[in-house]
Amino acid sequence: MTKKTYTRIIGTGSYLPPQIVKNSYFLKHEFFTPSGKKIEDKTNEEIIQKFREITNIEERRYVAEDQVTSDIAAFAIDEACKDAGISKESLDFIILGHNFGDITEGNVRTDILPGLANKVKMKLKIKNPACICHDVVSGCPGWTQAMIVADAYIKSGFWKRGVVVGADVLSRISDPHDRDSMIYADGAGATVVEAVESEEPIGIIAHSSRSDSVQYASLLTLGPSSNPDFEGDELFIKMTGHKLYIYAITTVPGVVKDSIEKAGIELSDVKKVFIHQANEKMDEAILAGVFKAYGEKEIPEGIMPMSIRKLGNSSTATVPTLLDLVLKGKMEGQEVNEGDYTILCSVGAGMNINSIVYKW
């Protein structure tokens, strides 16, 4: 058989910021509706309890005051390179998926000059001028989109090894008067990828993507605070939650199914589904939708690892962080073995969806 080039993960790393923020942190917040009306018919205890029931988020991580996105991305990359047993100088590329650049404490303005991948290269002191830097801004699917870019890089034959990292600091771009602010978290996850020649498919063997912007670009945007008396002209994350939920549960399953079909495997071959950690009920509905598309009702126990309860939604960082935790045995009852087929999937602003079939 003829050997082909595939993209294989050889190391993973993640960074969980130091501040653990429990739901009780929001008890003293003043919450407003999207129309600017103060919520007075429910107590904060009731709002938080309802939020917990829907998302299953109990706590999340925030960065330290002196940290920014490029810092935590560098930490995750450093760990991934150590895990891979490689020198950072051997990297041909750094691809960084993020959404808001570097945002310093107390200043909502984004800093992407230079690009974050370049800042990371500087912070890691990588001197190799042949190591190129590439930022990807694609909503929550930033890391999955960056993995697809990396796969194209490697299969082109121009580059052999690189690192893909997803990192975001959402705590500084969320509106303190918006109930959705309880969803958002900070974090970074990285994967070192390299070319491998193989007669049998290995690593990234298929992927499927779609973008629905004409109808759905407005579901996740930046906008003013929900508090009409908020002083300042800052823009914060604004999400049309219910419509986004409906879009995700009706659209993502088809993209996942398409990626599985492209890979030439059966649903029963899939051992794990690593999906963006946005809302536990939404993820469960998406997974049920995938199985329904195949006429299956029984979902194998433990097929979808979840980290959202303790880590919240760190956007581009959720999938690579979850992957790193499972691969390193840090999630009880979860493991990935050689030969396993897994799905790496995310949905978010754009609206963008990616689903990757990966064989270990």
Side-chain angles (χ1 to χ4, degrees):
M1 292 180 66
T2 303
K3 288 187 176 182
K4 293 183 179 180
T5 301
Y6 295 93
T7 302
R8 184 170 64 106
I9 295 171
I10 62 169
T12 62
S14 61
Y15 180 76
L16 305 181
Q19 295 188 62
I20 298 174
V21 179
K22 296 184 179 296
N23 287 347
S24 56
Y25 170 81
F26 299 93
L27 281 171
K28 294 183 180 180
H29 281 221
E30 283 189 320
F31 291 117
F32 291 75
T33 66
S35 62
K37 181 181 178 181
K38 188 175 180 180
I39 299 174
E40 296 180 314
D41 59 339
K42 294 180 181 178
T43 66
N44 278 13
E45 287 85 353
E46 292 172 322
I47 291 171
I48 292 169
Q49 177 60 28
K50 184 67 175 178
F51 166 82
R52 167 68 175 79
E53 291 172 1
I54 294 172
T55 66
N56 203 27
I57 297 174
E58 296 176 353
E59 58 190 49
R60 70 286 294 144
R61 297 293 186 103
Y62 287 177
V63 293
E65 288 188 2
D66 61 347
Q67 293 178 327
V68 290
T69 303
S70 58
D71 290 325
I72 64 175
F75 295 150
I77 291 173
D78 188 57
E79 182 181 311
C81 288
K82 289 176 180 175
D83 184 52
I86 64 154
S87 165
K88 292 186 284 291
E89 294 292 339
S90 70
L91 297 172
D92 295 322
F93 57 82
I94 300 168
I95 310 179
L96 202 167
H98 67 92
N99 287 298
F100 303 107
D102 281 344
I103 299 176
T104 56
E105 178 70 19
N107 188 340
V108 178
R109 292 177 182 173
T110 182
D111 175 6
I112 52 170
L113 186 65
L116 263 60
N118 293 90
K119 290 183 179 183
V120 164
K121 184 177 181 181
M122 174 188 68
K123 290 177 180 182
L124 292 173
K125 296 181 170 58
I126 299 173
K127 297 179 181 179
N128 176 13
C131 174
I132 65 165
C133 300
H134 185 167
D135 283 24
V136 170
V137 179
S138 189
C140 293
W143 177 81
T144 50
Q145 185 65 48
M147 284 290 284
I148 292 170
V149 171
D151 187 47
Y153 274 178
I154 286 174
K155 287 181 177 174
S156 74
F158 291 123
W159 293 283
K160 299 295 185 184
R161 175 186 289 169
V163 67
V164 181
V165 59
D168 264 310
V169 173
L170 302 187
S171 61
R172 293 177 186 161
I173 198 74
S174 61
D175 180 3
H177 299 288
D178 188 339
R179 286 168 291 185
D180 289 337
S181 63
M182 293 187 285
I183 295 173
Y184 305 124
D186 308 336
T191 44
V192 177
V193 295
E194 88 175 359
V196 59
E197 301 295 321
S198 175
E199 292 180 353
E200 297 293 330
I202 193 73
I204 295 177
I205 60 174
H207 54 79
S208 183
S209 302
R210 69 180 284 169
S211 294
D212 295 291
S213 302
V214 175
Q215 283 183 274
Y216 301 109
S218 61
L219 297 187
L220 261 166
T221 60
L222 289 180
S225 173
S226 298
N227 182 351
D229 297 322
F230 184 84
E231 295 184 3
D233 57 359
E234 289 89 343
L235 299 179
F236 302 98
I237 305 172
K238 292 293 160 180
M239 176 172 63
T240 307
H242 182 67
K243 289 183 178 180
L244 191 155
Y245 179 93
I246 297 300
Y247 169 83
I249 66 173
T250 56
T251 312
V252 175
V255 179
V256 175
K257 186 172 187 289
D258 187 56
S259 68
I260 293 172
E261 290 175 348
K262 285 181 178 179
I265 63 173
E266 301 298 326
L267 177 62
S268 57
D269 295 320
V270 176
K271 301 305 180 185
K272 295 293 176 189
V273 177
F274 294 93
I275 192 167
H276 171 50
Q277 305 289 289
N279 175 319
E280 187 157 315
K281 281 193 175 181
M282 184 178 83
D283 288 351
E284 289 172 348
I286 289 171
L287 186 65
V290 172
F291 276 76
K292 183 179 179 181
Y294 282 90
E296 299 287 344
K297 294 182 179 180
E298 294 296 322
I299 299 175
E301 186 176 352
I303 193 173
M304 186 173 68
M306 297 295 295
S307 61
I308 194 168
R309 179 176 298 182
K310 298 297 182 182
L311 300 182
N313 176 0
S314 55
S315 188
T316 57
T318 66
V319 178
T321 297
L322 179 61
L323 183 63
D324 180 55
L325 293 174
V326 171
L327 290 178
K328 291 178 178 170
K330 295 181 179 179
M331 294 193 71
E332 186 177 352
Q334 294 289 347
E335 62 180 14
V336 172
N337 300 303
E338 186 176 347
D340 284 355
Y341 288 97
T342 58
I343 301 293
L344 308 170
C345 177
S346 191
V347 55
M351 294 298 288
N352 299 316
I353 305 171
N354 298 312
S355 178
I356 299 169
V357 179
Y358 189 93
K359 184 180 181 182
W360 295 90

